């Protein structure tokens, strides 16, 4: 792992009047001291090596990551197009994947196959006309499951879904183009980071868990790989990025401990419908609670890196605006800024989980149970634990990352430690007005005095320490 250091070699002679927004580095930061770079490398390198080593040990080399037989999951997909649709009885003909019995109302579909051994032929499928059944019409592009026998017989097929690949590719292309148009080089780096994340999830996490590895251990290793790869690929190898990595690592460790503890205390098993089906298909045991905890760790990582990077950038910008701030002043001012961010992030996390669980909440609401009864059921309780543990990790990330960032930034060349730093020259002080305006808006009234305390001495007087 390379030594974390700032890409800039020194304070620019002409500092900009403003600063970047979000996660970008708004200006060239002073190069971190050699001692700081060595310290960050010494702390982070063992964790990076542990993540790589763990991935090598847990990956199922030479093993089948999926069982040879997957009852209930095996299917040979065949594309088709609906040529005609009309009302019919459900008593005769091929039965669709929804399955019917009796003589209720159905829709008879004539489907032209566009793949498989009988490509070009036409078959019939009967779909029950029920509220829980998708409505298929003429021209719909659908996917059928082929059983492998009698390729021209309607009974060898069943309708399973719509074709969505084309429009999903359009959406992915629109997303990538938008990111590149707005972010340019940074956008390209974020797309690279997204590719690395998907590679870790699909190429390591899924095969390792399916082969029998402990899900929580796999998630911890994967989170380490994603954290190092994504943050350094997106924001560059610098002391600022390394500080965000350290804050993310500390917060993620807290989330792992809290989730494991409260999952055990509340008796969560992780055995929902999808997990039970997965265990039946695998043919061997899997740690369902560990799978639940793995989801908590990986899910929280996406929000954590946003909080830690943003908080680290806030510390750097405050220090750039007024290098004379002592550690306590810098920490207090940045912490006030971080409170607004963490409040919105927690709300985002809660809404994200509530949105995914909305059908489940509606189902429980119809049961007539009280809120307390609903909240303590397995399915809802695990979402509550997931949300609150993730929120606790976000809350802890702000003071942890701020303290680390304040320590690192005051260790940079040209500054002094905890007892202050050299005052900037008059041109530098004048040129930071754009940053100071942002700080005035971002900091609360109580922190403005700390941030701007020595930024504007009276004309003709010398600044005093």
């Amino acid at each position: 792992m390379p030594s974390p250091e700032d890409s800039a070699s020194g304070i620019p002679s002409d500092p900009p009047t403003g600063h970047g927004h979000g996660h970008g580095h708004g200006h060239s930061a002073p190069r971190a001291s050699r001692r700081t770079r060595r310290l960050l490398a010494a702390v982070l390198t063992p964790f990076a090596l542990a993540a790589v080593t763990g991935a090598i040990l847990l990956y199922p080399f030479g093993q089948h990551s999926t069982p040879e037989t997957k009852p209930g999951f095996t299917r040979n997909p065949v594309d088709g197009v609906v040529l005609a649709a009309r009302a019919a009885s459900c008593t005769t003909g091929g039965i669709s994947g929804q399955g019917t019995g009796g003589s209720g109302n159905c829709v008879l579909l004539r489907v032209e196959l566009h793949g498989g051994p009988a490509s070009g032929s036409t078959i019939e499928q009967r779909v029950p006309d029920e509220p829980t059944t998708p409505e298929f019409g003429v021209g719909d592009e659908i996917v059928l499951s082929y059983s492998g026998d009698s390729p021209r017989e309607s009974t060898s097929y069943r309708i399973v879904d719509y074709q969505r690949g084309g429009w999903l590719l359009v959406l992915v292309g629109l997303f990538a183009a938008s990111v590149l148009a707005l972010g340019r080089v940074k956008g390209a780096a974020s797309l690279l980071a997204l590719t690395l994340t998907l590679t870790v999830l699909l190429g390591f996490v899924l095969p390792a868990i399916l082969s029998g590895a402990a899900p929580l251990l796999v998630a911890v290793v994967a989170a380490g790989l994603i954290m190092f790869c994504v943050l350094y690929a997106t924001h560059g190898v610098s002391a600022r990025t390394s500080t965000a990595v350290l804050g993310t690592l500390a917060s993620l460790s807290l989330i792992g401990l809290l989730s494991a503890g409260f999952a055990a205390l509340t008796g969560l098993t992780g055995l929902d419908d999808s997990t039970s089906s997965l265990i039946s298909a695998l043919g061997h045991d899997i740690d369902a609670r560990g799978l639940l905890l793995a989801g908590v760790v990986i899910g929280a990582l996406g929000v954590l890196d946003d909080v830690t990077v943003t908080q680290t950038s806030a510390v750097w910008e405050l220090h750039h605006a007024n290098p004379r701030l002592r550690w306590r002043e810098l920490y207090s001012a940045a912490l006030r800024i971080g409170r607004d961010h963490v409040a919105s992030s927690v709300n985002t996390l809660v809404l994200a989980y509530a949105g995914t669980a909305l059908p489940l909440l509606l189902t429980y609401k119809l049961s007539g149970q009280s809120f307390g009864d609903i909240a303590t059921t397995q399915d809802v309780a695990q979402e509550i634990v997931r949300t609150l543990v993730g929120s606790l990790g976000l809350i802890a990330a702000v003071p942890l990352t701020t303290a680390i960032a304040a320590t690192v930034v005051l260790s940079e060349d040209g500054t002094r430690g905890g007892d202050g730093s050299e005052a900037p020259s008059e041109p530098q002080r004048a040129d930071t007005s754009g940053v100071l305006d942002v700080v005035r808006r971002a900091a609360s009234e109580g922190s403005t005095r700390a941030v701007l305390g020595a930024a504007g001495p009276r004309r003709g007087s010398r600044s005093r320490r």
Side-chain angles (χ1 to χ4, degrees):
M1 173 183 168
S3 297
E5 59 181 303
D6 282 307
S7 56
S9 59
I11 302 177
S13 56
D14 239 6
T17 58
H19 70 89
H21 187 270
H23 297 167
H25 297 185
H27 51 78
S28 297
R31 180 183 178 89
S33 65
R34 180 177 299 179
R35 177 178 175 273
T36 300
R37 299 197 306 269
R38 287 179 176 177
L39 178 61
L40 289 172
V43 172
L44 292 176
T45 298
F47 291 103
L49 293 177
V52 174
T53 304
I56 295 174
L57 294 176
L58 292 173
Y59 188 80
F61 292 103
Q63 303 178 29
H64 295 289
S65 59
T66 56
E68 294 182 2
T69 58
K70 303 183 290 295
F73 285 80
T74 302
R75 78 175 192 184
N76 298 314
V78 175
D79 292 340
V81 176
V82 177
L83 300 179
R86 64 179 178 85
S89 172
C90 297
T91 55
T92 60
I95 297 177
S96 74
Q98 286 75 22
T100 60
S103 57
N105 295 327
C106 279
V107 177
L108 180 63
L109 305 176
R110 285 182 56 237
V111 180
E112 181 181 6
L113 302 178
H114 286 181
S119 180
S121 61
T122 302
I123 62 170
E124 291 185 346
Q125 291 283 286
R126 293 176 187 269
V127 180
D129 187 11
E130 298 173 351
T132 57
T133 305
E135 295 182 3
F136 297 101
V138 176
D140 285 346
E141 297 179 338
I142 60 175
V143 178
L144 303 98
S145 179
Y146 171 52
S147 65
D149 299 324
S150 304
R152 296 186 183 277
E153 293 292 331
S154 296
T155 53
S156 299
Y157 299 87
R158 60 190 181 94
I159 298 175
V160 293
D161 212 343
Y162 291 98
Q163 295 181 40
R164 301 184 179 92
W167 288 112
L168 287 178
L169 287 177
V170 171
L171 181 59
V172 169
L174 180 62
F175 166 74
S178 301
V179 171
L180 291 174
L182 181 63
R184 299 183 182 179
V185 176
K186 279 285 186 182
S190 66
L191 291 178
L192 173 61
L194 178 60
T195 303
L196 292 173
T197 299
L198 293 176
T199 301
V200 172
L201 292 177
L202 300 178
F204 168 66
V205 174
L206 301 186
I209 292 178
L210 289 175
S211 66
L216 181 57
L217 183 58
V218 172
V220 170
V221 171
L225 292 175
I226 293 172
M227 178 180 62
F228 282 103
C229 293
V230 168
L231 289 179
Y232 283 116
T234 305
H235 305 289
V237 180
S238 66
R240 182 185 296 199
T241 306
S242 298
T243 302
V245 170
L246 240 122
T248 304
L249 182 63
S251 304
L252 204 59
S253 301
L254 178 62
I255 288 176
L257 292 173
L258 288 175
S259 60
F262 279 96
L265 291 173
T266 56
L268 295 179
T269 62
L271 289 171
D272 52 19
D273 292 338
S274 59
T275 305
S276 300
S277 300
L278 173 64
I279 294 175
S280 300
L282 285 176
H284 62 76
D285 291 337
I286 187 173
D287 184 2
R289 180 183 289 174
L291 198 60
L292 170 65
L293 299 179
V296 174
V297 171
I298 293 177
L301 178 61
V303 187
L304 264 184
D305 62 8
D306 174 70
V307 171
T308 55
V309 170
T310 302
Q311 196 62 21
T312 302
S313 296
V315 172
W316 251 260
E317 295 296 345
L318 288 169
H319 175 70
H320 178 77
N322 186 1
R324 299 177 62 223
L325 289 175
R326 294 177 173 84
W327 188 93
R328 183 182 296 274
E329 296 170 331
L330 183 60
Y331 174 82
S332 299
L335 190 62
R336 290 185 178 97
I337 296 174
R339 285 171 183 164
D340 289 338
H341 188 204
V342 76
S344 61
S345 297
V346 169
N347 192 51
T348 299
L349 198 61
V350 171
L351 290 177
Y353 286 132
T356 58
L358 191 57
L360 177 66
L361 295 176
L362 290 173
T363 302
Y364 279 120
K365 182 65 177 177
L366 291 175
S367 67
Q369 301 180 58
S370 66
F371 177 78
D373 293 335
I374 294 174
T376 55
T377 59
Q378 164 72 30
D379 292 338
V380 178
Q382 70 181 23
E383 296 302 324
I384 293 176
V385 171
R386 191 197 311 266
T387 302
L388 296 184
V389 165
S391 300
L392 285 172
L394 291 179
I395 294 171
V398 171
L400 284 173
T401 306
T402 303
I404 297 171
T407 302
V408 171
V409 76
L410 291 178
S411 300
E412 291 177 344
D413 289 338
T415 66
R416 297 184 182 177
D419 56 351
S421 58
E422 294 296 330
S425 62
E426 288 298 331
Q428 287 176 323
R429 184 180 294 120
D431 286 340
T432 58
S433 59
V435 183
L436 296 176
D437 288 340
V438 175
V439 174
R440 289 188 184 98
R441 291 193 300 268
S444 63
E445 187 175 278
S447 64
T448 305
R449 184 178 304 171
V451 176
L452 305 175
R458 297 178 182 176
R459 181 172 300 178
S461 64
R462 299 177 61 88
S463 58
R464 292 178 297 177
R465 296 228 322 256

